[in-house]
Amino acid sequence: QALTPEGAQWRRPPPPPPPKSPTKLHIYSHRTLHMALRTLAPVLVAVVLAFVDASLLRAHQAPPPDPAAEVPAKTEDGSYKSKLDACTACKAAATGSCAMYKSCVCYATNAFFQFVGIPNANDTENFAWACGNEGGSKYELCFTVNELYEDAFGDKIDPNNLKCP
């Protein structure tokens, strides 16, 4: 500690002030408790949910609907021989799953492309299907429907007996 001259005498500086009041420490402890509870709350919820039977939390799942069409046979190269066969295959796949039934709009295309310099091919019918026309302009809509009375696959809608409620 430095001594300061005052006239001819040297004097020590005054002592430091006493520590803060205990009420300030009390506020800090409430903040700490609050932070601890906020941190532990998700853990406590996870522990409680671990003991809850999972079947109580899961919604009732109905079995998938029966497909509305039979899947046609593919040719030896793995494609369909006509646009109608490709569209029927799309309908069979999409109507056998509620997720696809609600989101799929069937399109089909001939995946054969003529290239310059390559001899004429014997197999020019290589149809494939997709749930959307994002593949380009060669994809054509399979089913033209009236959305008020028919689903995306041309089947009549029964409002009292929905395929996928």
Side-chain angles (χ1 to χ4, degrees), residues 70-88:
E70 292 291 324
V71 180
K74 291 184 176 182
T75 60
E76 61 188 37
D77 63 359
S79 62
Y80 296 99
K81 62 183 174 187
S82 68
K83 179 183 173 186
L84 178 65
D85 283 354
C87 290
T88 305

Side-chain angles (χ1 to χ4, degrees), residues 40-98:
L40 290 176
V43 174
L44 293 174
V45 169
V47 169
V48 169
L49 289 179
F51 292 105
V52 173
D53 186 15
S55 65
L56 296 175
L57 300 175
R58 188 175 29 243
H60 173 69
Q61 288 183 322
D66 293 328
E70 292 291 324
V71 180
K74 291 184 176 182
T75 60
E76 61 188 37
D77 63 359
S79 62
Y80 296 99
K81 62 183 174 187
S82 68
K83 179 183 173 186
L84 178 65
D85 283 354
C87 290
T88 305
C90 177
K91 182 176 182 175
T95 57
S97 161
C98 282

Side-chain angles (χ1 to χ4, degrees), residues 19-31:
K20 303 267 182 176
S21 67
T23 58
K24 203 65 163 171
L25 289 173
H26 187 66
I27 291 172
Y28 288 134
S29 65
H30 279 292
R31 286 183 185 160

Side-chain angles (χ1 to χ4, degrees), residues 6 26 37-38 57 65 85 102-103 107 116 122 125 143:
E6 187 174 26
H26 187 66
L37 288 177
R38 286 185 60 181
L57 300 175
D85 283 354
K102 291 183 176 188
S103 63
Y107 284 81
V116 177
N122 295 336
E125 303 294 317
F143 307 103

Side-chain angles (χ1 to χ4, degrees), residues 111-126:
F112 172 77
F113 299 97
Q114 182 67 42
F115 292 103
V116 177
I118 296 180
N120 291 340
N122 295 336
D123 182 14
T124 59
E125 303 294 317
N126 298 309

